Amino acid sequence: MSSQLATQSSSYNTAFRALLEKTGNAEPSWLRRMREDSFAHFERVGFPSVKEEEWKYTNVAPIAKLQFVPAFANGQPGGNGFGAFVYDEARRSRLVFVNGMLRRELSSVEALPAGVSVIDIGEALAKGPNETSLRESLERAAKSESGFTALNTALFSSGAFVFIPAGVSVAAPIHLQFISESSHGAAAASFPRVLVVAAENSAATIVESYASPGESVYLTNAIVEVRLGAGAHVQHFKVQRESTSAFHVATTDAELGANARYDATTINMGAALSRHTIDVTMDHEGAECWVDGLYMVDANQHTDTHSMIDHRQPHCTSHQLYKGILDGKSRAVFNGKVFVRHGAQLTNAQQTNKNLLLSNEAQVNTKPQLEIFADDVKCAHGAAVGQLEADEIFYLESRGIRPEPARNLLTYGFAEEVIEKIKIDSIRRELDQAVLNRLHTTL
Amino acid sequence: MLEIRNLYASVDGNEILKGINLKVNKGEVHAIMGPNGSGKSTLAKVLAGHPSYEVTRGEVLFEGKNLLELSPDVRAREGVFMAFQYPIEVPGVSNAQFLRLAYNEKQKHLGQEELDPLEFKDLLKEKAKIVEMEASFMTRSVNEGFSGGEKKRNEILQMAVLDPKLSVLDETDSGLDIDALRIVAEGVNKLHDPNKAVILVTHYQRLLNYITPDFVHVLSAGRIVKEGGKELALELEEKGYDWLKNGSVAAGAK
Amino acid sequence: MSTAEILTNREYKYGWVTDIESETIPRGLSEDTVRLISQKKSEPEWMLEFRLKAYRNWLNMQEPRHWPNIAFPEVNYQDIIYYSAPKQRAAKVSLDEVDPELLRTFDKLGIPLSEQKQLAGVAVDAVFDSVSVATTYKEKLKKHGVIFCSFSEAVREYAEIVRKYLGSVVPTNDNFYAALNSAVFSDGSFCFIPKGVRCPMELSTYFRINNSESGQFERTLIVAEEGSHVSYLEGCTAPKFDKNQLHAAVVELVALDDAEIKYSTVQNWYAGDEQGVGGIYNFVTKRGKCAGRNSKISWTQVETGSAITWKYPSCILQGDNSVGEFYSVALTNHAQQADTGTKMIHLGKNTRSTIISKGISAGHANNSYRGLVKIMPKAENARNYTQCDSMLIGSDAGANTFPYIEVMNNSSQVEHEASTSRISEEQLFYLMQRGISQEDAVSLIINGFCKDVFLQLPMEFAVEATRLLGLKLEGAIG
């Protein structure tokens, strides 16, 4: 392990030095110190190993082995072919990042009402008013033990800062689009960093999407934090359709104020290896969250979702529905944890994970966990791995549909239960098509 | 048999009953009526000793004993029975097991003979006829998976087995179709005799077509605002409860 | 009185000590200790080799402190007495030659051993500290070809069978405690059911720890040949001591074609006091192999004792169409900790497994279900159904569910459900309104919650288990 560590550090070390040189004194000194501490932490712990319970089923050795070049030190791919990734509803409310760097000429925030900020995180750090909330958020993440988080903190150079003022409802979905592509033979690595602050009683929809015009090898290591004030309502749709040769490691961290509501739907279809850690903390009464997702993988893809719903205060509600469709030699990991702390009475927490194995070489590891330290609660989880219902297939066949399309239709329906939670037509259409393509079928 | 004097009760600090006075003698059937939120069900629960309700003033005498100082199970053994509006499910515990335990507790309390499972089965079979229940109900878990009507019939079956002196039926008619209502009402009538008393708590007059009350008391905002014979129920059916609110309060009903 | 108080005010009825002279070896563990134990038991060379190999493995192993949801202070393995046997016994010929003090001890535990008073329908192997002191109905069983005896006797008399199966299900390097057991195990029970025989009575072992300084390391091996059937029961208790004591047993079951083994445990080791002082560390490895086609292994456990329970009775479903079952009630109270569950490893075609787990947690206790369901690539049409229910009593208890599901075959179906409940005030009120006292109401609700598991127990044990949960209420009633 130590020799491996040496190669990865040297690659990231060079990048880290280059970043410090580039930012120079433009960044606040606390940030520079934080980056240095985080990088030191990363060099100490490296990437996680399968010996750690949290990474038991996901081996990130391939990431450690590759020589990635952080994107800010790399040439920028042009803007050709990126148009395909635009969602109509967000045409004038989006930031586009290419290899982790904001591309202003591809972005537009015209549709956003006054007072709403959707800006580059670097810009936000430079301007006074947001520095405190950014600093708080970065410091919190810096406490994480994870090597990936540390690496992001050390190396992020772009990303988004979104601020919705109190009482404001934003109609247009705010689209944060991350496009990656490696060129010139070096694998790009990008470290997107996003902070969304939705103040009291505000409402907004955030779309976070990852895509690539090609099939190159690159690494995305993202951290997205969402802070909801009292009574705020945020819908958060994440669509991960990275290149199937890419690596995607991301953390979503949401904190909910009193009576806040957070609806997250995550679609994982891309990447050779993807890992999504989604943590929702409910430290105020009356908060409610829906944390749903679909992973659909094929060939040699590996996808891993770790969710953690932390009920710290009474009267909070959480719902989770994660579904998986596995084909080829793919592998999926789902680890869903519901934590009900001492005193969090009248918690209502439900979690469901369902998996369809389409191939005999696919493998699923699921571990729905409950950890409960309060007695007056309603908590339940269920997990299932299996096939389509024979009765359902028969029903379709009895209507004259051949077995193969009958199966495809039912598989599509299985995915649809999650996809339909995304309340944006063009995204839903795109995903419907993607699912059908994966099944080699049409409707 | 039962005497309620100036009873005040509250739940979570909200005062629900505000000075109830009521006297029930052997052989009588009383109906307590009133709009939603008037305190009818609270009265029933206070009589049975529900822990969420706090009696802040007044007293309740049952056969000369202070009922309020007895725990719920002792009240039951003394002969106070409450049929629940929403009977509770007890997973894994069969109806027969549960009823035999309850029956024997009472027998023990009264210094009478306890029954072994076989003897009790015979008793249960006999009593089940009163509410037209199938034997298969006895082996099923208490109220688990029962329909609304089955749950209510099960309440009356329990009443039949435990043979209480005073039965308090809390909205027993709610959620019943006409057949189930008939079975339940006939069950109550069959079980009634001159040594027992019944308090029917109900919103609608419907049940009273089947069980004829000797007295009707109308509750509003925690007080009895009108009293009369069975014809009062018909009057309420016709006029609704609204007219009571318009000042015709029978102040300080006896 | 709150429900939690009712549950926590219970007495442990088996906390007394038998005053009997014991032969013990010095504390501590080394190769010499292992040799000494083997020598005391006049074991053959192969048995000593097995122990030494295990000991050497153990030296390089670590306690599983990282992944289970339990915490305990460091255990000094050099401060334990690894062999303690009541003095008496040259080889006893008849049960009536057993030390009367020991007979009285087992009488008091409800396990009469003497010929006149023996339990009908149940053959008992009574283990006291490190040795088996008596086995009832041995001769009667022998007439049916069933071998039921102490493990020591089996090593002497049935070496071939023991040698063939010992370590075949739980290898000596399986885990820290299994390795320790394999090195120092002192006694236990051996059952062999020959081809086609349906064992005419229940077989059972009763384990009693008496010595405050010794650990108990028993070994059980049950082999059911083709088409045979056996039901085995296990019970255990220990006196109240302030010091924690280690119990690290290994149980291996082997079921050949069409054989069935039903293994039931009522575990009631001393659990420590309200503050968590004293009590048994119950670190046990139990595993069965459904080696043959259509074989079946069923584990039922009622775990109410021990300061810490760490055990995962498991099934390796190797034979096609084989069936594994795990039914569990785990009750933790005060400062007790339990991390228990099962592993169902599906290897063969059409293998089926069922897991029903009921965890009850009261006081400050922490109760975890941890289970693995693994469907290997060749396990066509494998099925698993798992249901884990937790009941929390009081606001300071913890209940956790950690199911690991690993599926590598797409014709299999795995279903897992878990829920959490408590005894609601409404439920209690309802029962009390029918004249049932609060204590009885709590007991009734808990027994109802556990019913699916109790139904699996042989009759004698079902009564014992129900009584045991009721016993927890006794302190409050009396």
Side-chain angles (χ1 to χ4, degrees):
Chain A
M1 179 174 163
S2 56
S3 64
Q4 205 178 74
L5 199 69
T7 48
Q8 32 166 282
S9 347
S10 69
S11 155
Y12 291 108
N13 203 338
T14 315
F16 183 61
R17 299 296 144 213
L19 174 77
L20 289 189
E21 207 161 299
K22 181 178 155 236
T23 53
N25 292 327
E27 279 185 352
S29 57
W30 60 263
L31 180 57
R32 195 185 171 96
R33 270 198 310 280
M34 193 184 292
R35 286 188 191 276
E36 281 169 347
D37 290 349
S38 292
F39 195 73
H41 179 70
F42 169 71
E43 292 207 298
R44 212 164 40 246
V45 302
F47 291 112
S49 99
V50 289
K51 284 182 188 149
E52 294 169 44
E53 181 74 15
E54 292 295 291
W55 293 85
K56 187 177 160 115
Y57 297 114
T58 295
N59 187 349
V60 298
I63 296 178
K65 271 189 209 123
L66 272 174
Q67 288 283 327
F68 288 105
V69 180
F72 60 84
N74 197 6
Q76 295 278 324
N80 298 338
F82 295 169
F85 305 127
V86 176
Y87 297 125
D88 258 346
E89 294 86 340
R91 204 166 270 286
R92 294 187 304 127
S93 52
R94 64 194 175 108
L95 295 186
V96 178
F97 300 82
V98 177
N99 284 353
M101 304 297 289
L102 178 66
R103 293 283 285 267
R104 287 178 206 281
E105 81 279 14
L106 301 172
S107 308
S108 162
V109 292
E110 289 165 30
L112 299 176
V116 173
S117 301
V118 177
I119 55 177
D120 185 64
I121 202 161
E123 195 184 326
L125 280 164
K127 284 185 189 167
N130 303 313
E131 192 179 328
T132 321
S133 58
L134 273 166
R135 184 174 178 172
E136 271 174 27
S137 133
L138 289 167
E139 273 169 353
R140 199 169 10 224
K143 288 189 190 116
S144 160
E145 293 290 309
S146 155
F148 281 109
T149 306
L151 198 59
N152 180 292
T153 302
L155 291 174
F156 80 87
S157 58
S158 186
F161 175 72
V162 176
F163 178 75
I164 319 291
V168 171
S169 288
V170 184
I174 298 166
H175 185 190
L176 307 173
Q177 188 172 29
F178 298 92
I179 299 169
S180 291
E181 189 174 33
S182 292
S183 52
H184 311 301
S190 64
F191 302 91
R193 187 82 182 211
V194 174
L195 175 63
V196 176
V197 178
E200 299 83 64
N201 300 313
S202 64
T205 299
I206 309 290
V207 179
E208 176 196 355
S209 73
Y210 297 86
S212 175
E215 283 300 313
S216 58
V217 178
Y218 58 87
L219 167 69
T220 302
N221 175 2
I223 298 179
V224 177
E225 292 172 76
V226 187
R227 309 275 166 250
L228 289 85
H233 184 184
V234 171
Q235 297 190 81
H236 183 176
F237 305 127
K238 176 180 171 186
V239 181
Q240 186 272 101
R241 299 190 64 199
E242 305 266 30
S243 137
T244 50
S245 306
F247 300 95
H248 177 92
V249 179
T251 297
T252 303
D253 182 303
E255 278 191 11
L256 277 61
N259 302 310
R261 176 164 169 166
Y262 178 63
D263 299 341
T265 305
T266 302
I267 309 292
N268 276 300
M269 293 182 79
L273 186 159
S274 68
R275 158 71 174 234
H276 184 216
T277 305
I278 178 163
D279 294 346
V280 179
T281 304
M282 294 190 279
D283 207 0
H284 299 275
E285 292 197 23
E288 180 173 6
C289 68
W290 293 76
V291 177
D292 303 319
L294 170 72
Y295 40 88
M296 186 169 187
V297 282
D298 198 352
N300 289 305
Q301 286 182 288
H302 179 114
T303 183
D304 177 342
T305 298
H306 268 60
S307 73
M308 154 81 156
I309 313 291
D310 190 355
H311 284 264
R312 297 186 182 202
Q313 294 292 331
H315 285 288
C316 292
T317 301
S318 66
H319 316 259
Q320 281 184 89
L321 172 66
Y322 261 85
K323 290 185 140 188
I325 302 173
L326 288 81
D327 207 344
K329 295 179 177 176
S330 64
R331 187 165 178 189
V333 179
F334 176 78
N335 189 112
K337 180 148 124 186
V338 172
F339 198 27
V340 179
R341 304 221 181 206
H342 191 238
Q345 298 291 19
L346 299 163
T347 288
N348 185 347
Q350 311 294 327
Q351 182 193 70
T352 305
N353 173 236
K354 288 184 179 170
N355 298 278
L356 267 186
L357 290 180
L358 302 182
S359 136
N360 203 23
E361 289 172 297
Q363 181 179 343
V364 65
N365 301 102
T366 169
K367 186 182 169 206
Q369 298 178 55
L370 289 174
E371 292 187 53
I372 299 171
F373 297 90
D375 60 335
D376 192 4
V377 299
K378 268 194 211 136
C379 297
H381 71 207
V385 183
Q387 309 83 41
L388 296 166
E389 294 281 338
D391 283 353
E392 292 177 3
I393 296 169
F394 175 73
Y395 182 72
L396 268 64
E397 285 176 359
S398 76
R399 298 294 177 267
I401 302 171
R402 283 173 299 112
E404 183 68 19
R407 282 173 186 283
N408 287 337
L409 188 62
L410 290 169
T411 307
Y412 170 82
F414 180 85
E416 200 54 21
E417 196 189 347
V418 175
I419 292 175
E420 70 187 15
K421 288 170 184 274
I422 297 180
K423 304 292 178 214
I424 297 171
D425 290 343
S426 57
I427 302 182
R428 231 173 24 235
R429 271 199 306 275
E430 175 198 305
L431 291 172
D432 285 349
Q433 198 50 54
V435 170
L436 292 171
N437 289 348
R438 204 43 92 71
L439 298 169
H440 311 290
T441 190
T442 51
L443 268 189
Chain B
M1 176 184 285
L2 180 78
E3 194 171 355
I4 302 174
R5 292 184 193 145
N6 196 29
L7 184 69
Y8 282 73
S10 56
V11 61
D12 295 332
N14 300 321
E15 197 159 74
I16 310 279
L17 299 183
K18 299 168 183 169
I20 301 282
N21 291 289
L22 182 67
K23 204 167 169 180
V24 177
N25 296 309
K26 273 188 200 174
E28 293 176 353
V29 175
H30 290 246
I32 310 267
M33 300 185 70
N36 290 330
S38 59
K40 310 185 294 283
S41 283
T42 298
L43 178 60
K45 285 175 179 161
V46 167
L47 290 178
H50 192 289
S52 299
Y53 295 84
E54 194 193 348
V55 173
T56 50
R57 222 190 305 171
E59 58 183 349
V60 179
L61 297 176
F62 178 69
E63 307 245 276
K65 285 179 200 156
N66 179 357
L67 193 66
L68 299 179
E69 69 183 15
L70 304 178
S71 65
D73 50 325
V74 177
R75 293 184 200 196
R77 284 176 235 153
E78 286 283 331
V80 177
F81 179 89
M82 175 174 137
F84 284 52
Q85 184 181 2
Y86 303 109
I88 310 294
E89 298 182 359
V90 190
V93 177
S94 78
N95 235 349
Q97 258 179 334
F98 159 62
L99 274 174
R100 190 169 78 90
L101 180 60
Y103 179 83
N104 281 343
E105 286 290 343
K106 185 189 160 188
Q107 295 296 94
K108 219 185 308 179
H109 185 74
L110 300 176
Q112 288 169 1
E113 194 195 353
E114 297 178 41
L115 296 184
D116 67 29
L118 286 177
E119 293 167 332
F120 186 71
K121 205 175 155 190
D122 292 340
L123 175 85
L124 207 48
K125 224 190 239 168
E126 229 15 74
K127 302 289 182 186
K129 286 182 194 154
I130 297 175
V131 283
E132 301 176 23
M133 268 173 107
E134 306 268 339
S136 66
F137 275 87
M138 303 312 149
T139 52
R140 283 171 58 185
S141 292
V142 181
N143 292 326
E144 203 183 31
F146 284 28
S147 71
E150 286 166 351
K151 281 183 182 173
K152 294 294 171 75
R153 269 152 69 191
N154 200 19
E155 292 293 285
I156 306 306
L157 170 67
Q158 294 177 21
M159 179 175 150
V161 170
L162 298 175
D163 194 29
K165 293 175 187 149
L166 173 68
S167 301
V168 183
L169 277 54
D170 186 9
E171 307 265 6
T172 296
D173 52 331
S174 71
L176 290 186
D177 64 32
I178 201 76
D179 288 330
L181 181 66
R182 178 190 54 79
I183 294 169
V184 164
E186 279 175 9
V188 174
N189 286 333
K190 275 182 216 161
L191 294 171
H192 190 55
D193 71 38
N195 287 314
K196 295 176 181 167
V198 176
I199 297 177
L200 302 168
V201 172
T202 180
H203 185 88
Y204 301 105
Q205 189 268 340
R206 194 170 73 137
L207 178 66
L208 308 182
N209 289 336
Y210 296 88
I211 308 172
T212 315
D214 301 304
F215 304 95
V216 174
H217 313 266
V218 181
L219 220 62
S220 179
R223 288 195 187 87
I224 292 175
V225 293
K226 201 162 176 62
E227 293 179 304
K230 62 183 177 207
E231 63 293 339
L232 178 55
L234 292 168
E235 199 178 340
L236 284 169
E237 179 79 357
E238 200 180 304
K239 298 185 184 170
Y241 287 109
D242 282 348
W243 62 280
L244 287 171
K245 290 176 188 160
N246 304 328
S248 64
V249 171
K254 54 170 196 280
Chain C
M1 187 171 6
S2 74
T3 311
E5 282 166 42
I6 290 174
L7 259 188
T8 46
N9 290 344
R10 58 165 173 136
E11 276 290 329
Y12 186 67
K13 278 192 9 183
Y14 308 99
W16 40 271
V17 187
T18 304
D19 186 11
I20 195 162
E21 213 183 327
S22 286
E23 180 200 357
T24 56
I25 63 171
R27 323 165 178 265
L29 180 55
S30 64
E31 264 197 40
D32 289 343
T33 322
V34 175
R35 286 178 195 281
L36 185 60
I37 293 170
S38 189
Q39 186 195 337
K40 285 216 168 287
K41 307 178 82 66
S42 323
E43 286 177 353
E45 189 60 26
W46 63 266
M47 194 66 250
L48 176 63
E49 282 310 314
F50 177 91
R51 289 176 181 278
L52 288 172
K53 188 175 146 208
Y55 175 72
R56 286 164 199 151
N57 278 327
W58 179 76
L59 286 177
N60 294 315
M61 297 174 88
Q62 250 120 52
E63 290 174 322
R65 281 181 181 265
H66 175 58
W67 55 265
N69 203 8
I70 54 178
F72 54 101
E74 199 167 317
V75 175
N76 182 354
Y77 291 91
Q78 296 307 332
D79 196 34
I80 294 171
I81 293 172
Y82 288 87
Y83 185 87
S84 169
K87 266 189 192 163
Q88 53 137 20
R89 52 175 266 146
K92 54 192 189 293
V93 181
S94 104
L95 286 167
D96 297 325
E97 288 170 33
V98 174
D99 185 328
E101 192 54 40
L102 286 172
L103 291 179
R104 265 197 296 281
T105 297
F106 282 94
D107 260 356
K108 207 167 155 189
L109 294 168
I111 316 289
L113 300 173
S114 60
E115 304 279 2
Q116 311 81 0
K117 292 189 280 179
Q118 287 171 1
L119 301 168
V122 186
V124 181
D125 183 26
V127 176
F128 189 88
D129 286 335
S130 301
V131 294
S132 164
V133 295
T135 310
T136 63
Y137 293 117
K138 244 161 83 175
E139 295 310 313
K140 184 180 170 193
L141 288 166
K142 216 178 246 171
K143 282 182 199 141
H144 295 267
V146 174
I147 304 169
F148 180 47
C149 63
S150 74
F151 205 89
S152 309
E153 187 179 332
V155 170
R156 290 194 305 271
E157 308 288 327
Y158 311 101
E160 222 164 285
I161 310 174
V162 174
R163 210 171 163 179
K164 181 168 172 191
Y165 292 108
L166 183 69
S168 72
V169 186
V170 179
T172 53
N173 61 354
D174 189 79
N175 67 69
F176 182 85
Y177 301 112
L180 178 62
N181 172 286
S182 301
V184 303
F185 73 85
S186 39
D187 216 336
S189 303
F190 172 73
C191 319
F192 176 81
I193 325 298
K195 206 167 170 171
V197 172
R198 202 180 166 86
C199 187
M201 58 202 324
E202 306 270 354
L203 304 185
S204 106
T205 306
Y206 193 93
F207 295 98
R208 174 74 177 170
I209 295 180
N210 192 60
N211 188 316
S212 67
E213 303 292 322
S214 71
Q216 195 173 53
F217 306 92
E218 85 270 5
R219 188 98 193 180
T220 301
L221 174 60
I222 301 177
V223 178
E225 281 200 330
E226 291 84 348
S228 68
H229 177 283
V230 64
S231 169
Y232 177 91
L233 325 171
E234 174 195 68
C236 41
T237 56
K240 287 183 183 181
F241 294 121
D242 292 345
K243 217 176 127 179
N244 294 111
Q245 283 177 278
L246 183 61
H247 170 252
V250 171
V251 175
E252 293 178 282
L253 314 182
V254 179
L256 303 183
D257 287 359
D258 305 301
E260 182 176 343
I261 302 175
K262 186 173 170 58
Y263 193 108
S264 314
T265 304
V266 172
Q267 186 265 102
N268 191 21
W269 293 119
Y270 177 52
D273 69 8
E274 285 174 41
Q275 276 69 48
V277 176
I280 304 290
Y281 291 166
N282 190 36
F283 299 155
V284 170
T285 306
K286 295 184 171 183
R287 197 173 301 154
K289 191 196 268 181
C290 284
R293 293 172 60 87
N294 311 318
S295 56
K296 177 176 174 184
I297 289 178
S298 179
W299 298 99
T300 305
Q301 62 172 22
V302 177
E303 302 281 320
T304 63
S306 297
I308 305 177
T309 296
W310 176 96
K311 69 180 273 205
Y312 314 91
S314 304
C315 298
I316 298 169
L317 303 169
Q318 189 177 51
D320 290 349
N321 315 321
S322 61
V323 175
E325 294 175 339
F326 175 74
Y327 298 95
S328 171
V329 166
L331 187 147
T332 51
N333 196 355
H334 298 312
Q336 278 180 282
Q337 307 173 64
D339 193 296
T340 182
T342 183
K343 291 190 240 179
M344 292 290 173
I345 314 291
H346 292 253
L347 296 164
K349 294 189 181 69
N350 304 315
T351 47
R352 281 173 292 143
S353 62
T354 304
I355 299 171
I356 307 287
S357 162
K358 307 278 180 178
I360 303 156
S361 199
H364 289 87
N366 208 348
N367 198 329
S368 301
Y369 165 81
R370 187 181 304 277
L372 169 68
V373 174
K374 188 165 190 162
I375 313 284
M376 300 302 283
K378 293 201 172 127
E380 296 290 325
N381 294 312
R383 296 282 180 273
N384 162 267
Y385 174 72
T386 300
Q387 189 190 331
C388 292
D389 296 322
S390 306
M391 180 179 274
L392 284 143
I393 296 172
S395 56
D396 295 321
N400 312 299
T401 315
F402 304 103
Y404 298 69
I405 301 166
E406 305 183 11
V407 181
M408 290 174 253
N409 180 293
N410 76 336
S411 60
S412 58
Q413 277 178 21
V414 176
E415 227 180 305
H416 170 100
E417 286 170 25
S419 76
T420 301
S421 63
R422 65 165 189 162
I423 299 180
S424 75
E425 200 173 58
E426 293 302 322
Q427 238 177 356
L428 274 183
F429 176 62
Y430 186 64
L431 295 177
M432 287 174 76
Q433 212 302 308
R434 299 302 182 250
I436 297 168
S437 69
Q438 194 182 4
E439 290 87 338
D440 286 352
V442 170
S443 167
L444 200 63
I445 293 168
I446 291 180
N447 276 304
F449 175 73
C450 300
K451 190 179 170 191
D452 293 346
V453 175
F454 288 167
L455 282 175
Q456 299 299 324
L457 287 169
M459 240 246 286
E460 296 82 354
F461 259 33
V463 174
E464 164 77 6
T466 312
R467 200 184 55 76
L468 231 147
L469 293 191
L471 184 74
K472 323 252 143 186
L473 318 173
E474 219 171 55
I477 300 165

